[in-house]
Amino acid sequence: MLKQFLSKLPRKSGKSDSPELARSNSCTTAGSTPQPHRSNSFNSGSGRPCAPKRTSSAVFPASVVAGIEPLLPFKDVPSSERMNLFVSKVSLCCVTFDFTDPAKNLIEKDVKRQTLLELLDFVSGSVRFSEPAILAMCRMCAVNLFRVFPPNYRSTSSNGGENDDDEPMFDPAWPHLQIVYDVLLKFITSSCLDAKVAKKYIDHSFILRLLDLFDSEDPRERDCLKTILHRVYGKFMVHRPFIRKAISNIFYRFVFETEKHNGIAELLEIFGSIISGFALPLKEEHKIFLWRVLIPLHKPKSLGVYFQQLSFCVSQFIEKEPKLCSTVVGGLLKYWPITNSQKELMFLGELEEILEAINMVEFQKVTVPLFWRIGYCINSFHFQVAERALFFWNNDQIVNLIAHNRHVILPIILPALEKNAQNHWNHAVLNLTINVRKMFMEMDDQLFMFCHTHFKEEEVKLSVLAEKRKEAWKRLENAASRQPITGNTAVLVTPLATSIAY
């Protein structure tokens, strides 16, 4: 009791927000301050920046710990004192260590690990958390989790994260961080946590720093963050608009500035579940998010890393409001890849899913530009792109749409089919092209013959123009050959041009 009384006396160096948290300052030595943006940047006592290592995904503080001692177990204190003991244990866990050196502070690390496991069991119980306990918990999580990441050297040397063969870099502190994340998750999902009180400490600043951690190179950490942020979004309704806006800002920065971020797939997965909960009719801000964020996310080179999650988000919007199909198709055509065949295959796959859900009115809005693009894909020398485009005619829903609009589509597609039938190098593409021609003939034989005749006439006109152009060049060559060449060169440079160049 004397210790508890003395610990509540004011200290000269105490800058904590509550008396219970003042004990954390006595546990954290110089150079290991509860504010992570200070402790992560410099070595204690030296003032020199910490050099980032390839084996670590975070800059750790090199703190010198005088020693921490384990506190009493929860079972050894009465129920009325357990919340005070909880705050003390949480404050003890505010001490940070450098995990880049496995042989350093082994005893202290083990004491902290055991304390964190005790906290994990405690928050899984049914004890109602007081406001000082909530504050201490949020502060402990901030000290341990919020840290500075070094530059991603591999992403700067590769083409925008396009190299998927790189091994993920694992954080050496993960066995320690995982327990902290588990404690935070249990704490947020606990039915004993009052959201009205907790929202003062799990505030906008806390959420922004949580979102910054999604750039971690460790996939295990991003997976934990994904679950925690989803729970925060579900529990704190007052923060939902802010979370959506903050994630949108990350997407904006990724698409239009850096094209480098490790957590785009996880953030899109979170947004996929958020979109599924949107009420109908959709708000204008949600439609703006589709047009200004999700559609431009098809542009970066690293699309393959998060394409599955992005496609799911788009399909959720279309499922909610089918009228958005023409908007999405127009956006895909706007950002269609010209020189990247792998991205073209992704676009064609997503396009087929959209066309399966589109209605006739929306389909007719985009028919002409859509099938001009499909025609170019059919003529692609990359056989997988041409094959994937021709597979559209294996889909009954798409064939039904084409049949009802064949008078518009056939004049656009037939030239591409005829060019393939004449000189495409791949036999599989050639066979698919012939099958599609037969399908059009069975749909409307007269229309096919009319378009085929028109195509032949156009070919004749083009060949005549080519011959005329060839003859014109021959006449120019003959005329030039009859002119005598004066001097040593055939090119004359005027004195004015020479003086200007000089």
Side-chain angles (χ1 to χ4, degrees):
M1 294 301 291
L2 181 61
K3 285 185 178 180
Q4 293 179 6
F5 175 78
L6 291 175
S7 66
K8 294 183 180 181
L9 292 176
R11 300 172 185 264
K12 291 182 180 180
S13 60
K15 296 182 181 179
S16 301
D17 296 303
S18 66
E20 290 83 351
L21 289 178
R23 304 172 199 166
S24 64
N25 291 335
S26 63
C27 296
T28 308
T29 61
S32 179
T33 174
Q35 296 179 358
H37 65 279
R38 293 176 60 188
S39 63
N40 286 340
S41 301
F42 295 93
N43 291 320
S44 63
S46 65
R48 292 178 299 176
C50 293
K53 299 182 180 180
R54 286 293 302 273
T55 57
S56 173
S57 72
V59 178
F60 292 96
S63 56
V64 180
V65 181
I68 58 175
E69 297 180 359
L71 300 176
L72 291 173
F74 285 107
K75 63 180 180 179
D76 293 346
V77 297
S79 300
S80 58
E81 293 294 326
R82 285 182 182 177
M83 191 54 63
N84 291 332
L85 180 60
F86 172 78
V87 174
S88 300
K89 287 180 179 287
V90 168
S91 300
L92 182 145
C93 292
C94 288
V95 182
T96 56
F97 299 98
D98 185 358
F99 284 85
T100 57
D101 186 358
K104 193 175 182 181
N105 303 120
L106 288 177
I107 298 175
E108 291 83 357
K109 288 177 182 176
D110 188 63
V111 170
K112 182 177 179 182
R113 180 177 175 276
Q114 293 300 326
T115 306
L116 285 170
L117 291 174
E118 290 180 30
L119 292 176
L120 180 60
D121 291 336
F122 186 83
V123 297
S124 303
S126 57
V127 179
R128 193 162 191 84
F129 296 102
S130 63
E131 186 167 350
I134 295 173
L135 173 59
M137 190 68 181
C138 292
R139 186 173 182 181
M140 186 274 290
C141 291
V143 168
N144 284 276
L145 300 178
F146 300 158
R147 59 206 191 280
V148 179
F149 294 117
N152 188 345
Y153 295 104
R154 293 186 305 172
S155 67
T156 56
S157 61
S158 61
N159 293 328
E162 203 173 23
N163 190 1
D164 297 333
D165 297 331
D166 287 336
E167 291 286 337
M169 294 182 69
F170 296 111
D171 199 320
W174 176 247
H176 165 83
L177 292 174
Q178 185 179 19
I179 306 175
V180 180
Y181 276 119
D182 290 342
V183 171
L184 178 59
L185 179 61
K186 290 288 185 181
F187 178 71
I188 291 173
T189 56
S190 174
S191 58
C192 301
L193 178 65
D194 188 353
K196 293 181 180 179
V197 177
K199 71 180 181 181
K200 293 190 294 184
Y201 306 105
I202 302 178
D203 55 2
H204 290 180
S205 176
F206 188 93
I207 291 169
L208 282 176
R209 302 189 72 182
L210 200 66
L211 286 169
D212 288 340
L213 296 176
F214 275 91
D215 203 19
S216 169
E217 293 183 2
D218 196 326
R220 302 168 299 181
E221 181 169 14
R222 298 198 303 268
D223 195 58
C224 285
L225 286 165
K226 177 182 65 178
T227 305
I228 289 171
L229 186 62
H230 190 269
R231 299 299 184 186
V232 170
Y233 187 90
K235 185 138 192 163
F236 301 95
M237 295 184 66
V238 68
H239 292 328
R240 289 183 179 182
F242 178 79
I243 293 173
R244 293 197 300 268
K245 184 178 179 180
I247 296 177
S248 298
N249 290 336
I250 293 175
F251 290 148
Y252 286 137
R253 196 177 305 114
F254 171 72
V255 173
F256 300 108
E257 294 181 14
T258 64
E259 288 198 7
K260 294 171 187 174
H261 196 283
N262 294 313
I264 298 299
E266 287 79 9
L267 291 172
L268 282 171
E269 192 169 342
I270 294 170
F271 237 105
S273 59
I274 291 174
I275 294 168
S276 63
F278 284 165
L280 295 177
L282 290 175
K283 296 180 180 178
E284 190 64 25
E285 67 167 296
H286 302 328
K287 296 179 183 178
I288 291 173
F289 175 80
L290 170 66
W291 179 248
R292 294 185 181 175
V293 177
L294 294 184
I295 299 299
L297 275 171
H298 290 81
K299 180 183 176 182
K301 294 179 181 179
S302 56
L303 172 66
V305 176
Y306 56 84
F307 175 74
Q308 184 179 358
Q309 292 84 358
L310 177 60
S311 180
F312 177 76
C313 288
V314 173
S315 65
Q316 288 291 301
F317 267 105
I318 291 174
E319 186 178 336
K320 290 281 183 180
E321 193 164 321
K323 290 182 179 180
L324 295 172
C325 284
S326 59
T327 302
V328 174
V329 172
L332 290 178
L333 295 176
K334 178 181 178 181
Y335 293 104
W336 197 275
I338 304 300
T339 59
N340 192 328
S341 300
Q342 294 304 315
K343 282 184 69 175
E344 272 195 287
L345 292 172
M346 297 179 203
F347 274 56
L348 287 168
E350 186 174 6
L351 193 59
E352 183 174 3
E353 292 181 5
I354 295 169
L355 292 179
E356 287 178 351
I358 200 170
N359 58 44
M360 191 64 69
V361 175
E362 298 299 315
F363 178 76
Q364 290 173 351
K365 292 179 182 178
V366 295
T367 299
V368 174
L370 172 61
F371 279 90
W372 273 113
R373 175 52 58 192
I374 293 175
Y376 286 123
C377 292
I378 289 173
N379 288 143
S380 173
F381 287 109
H382 195 289
F383 78 96
Q384 289 179 326
V385 174
E387 195 175 49
R388 189 67 186 83
L390 289 165
F391 278 156
F392 278 22
W393 277 264
N394 291 345
N395 190 306
D396 294 336
Q397 174 66 18
I398 297 176
V399 169
N400 182 52
L401 293 169
I402 292 172
H404 283 85
N405 298 274
R406 60 186 181 276
H407 292 87
V408 178
I409 296 172
L410 187 55
I412 299 172
I413 290 295
L414 187 63
L417 296 174
E418 294 297 325
K419 289 176 185 176
N420 267 16
Q422 291 172 9
N423 55 18
H424 202 282
W425 65 274
N426 187 270
H427 290 290
V429 173
L430 190 62
N431 292 333
L432 286 169
T433 301
I434 294 171
N435 290 336
V436 172
R437 288 176 78 254
K438 288 180 180 178
M439 291 178 67
F440 275 117
M441 289 181 67
E442 293 172 359
M443 284 182 194
D444 195 329
D445 187 32
Q446 291 183 353
L447 178 62
F448 181 86
M449 293 307 298
F450 174 79
C451 292
H452 189 269
T453 303
H454 184 264
F455 170 74
K456 290 295 183 182
E457 291 174 355
E458 290 295 321
E459 271 200 330
V460 171
K461 289 180 181 179
L462 290 174
S463 62
V464 169
L465 287 174
E467 286 295 326
K468 288 182 178 179
R469 193 180 302 111
K470 190 176 181 181
E471 290 296 327
W473 278 108
K474 282 184 179 180
R475 288 197 299 271
L476 287 172
E477 289 174 0
N478 291 333
S481 64
R482 289 194 294 270
Q483 294 291 331
I485 300 175
T486 58
N488 295 327
T489 59
V491 180
L492 298 178
V493 180
T494 62
L496 178 61
T498 305
S499 64
I500 292 174
Y502 179 77

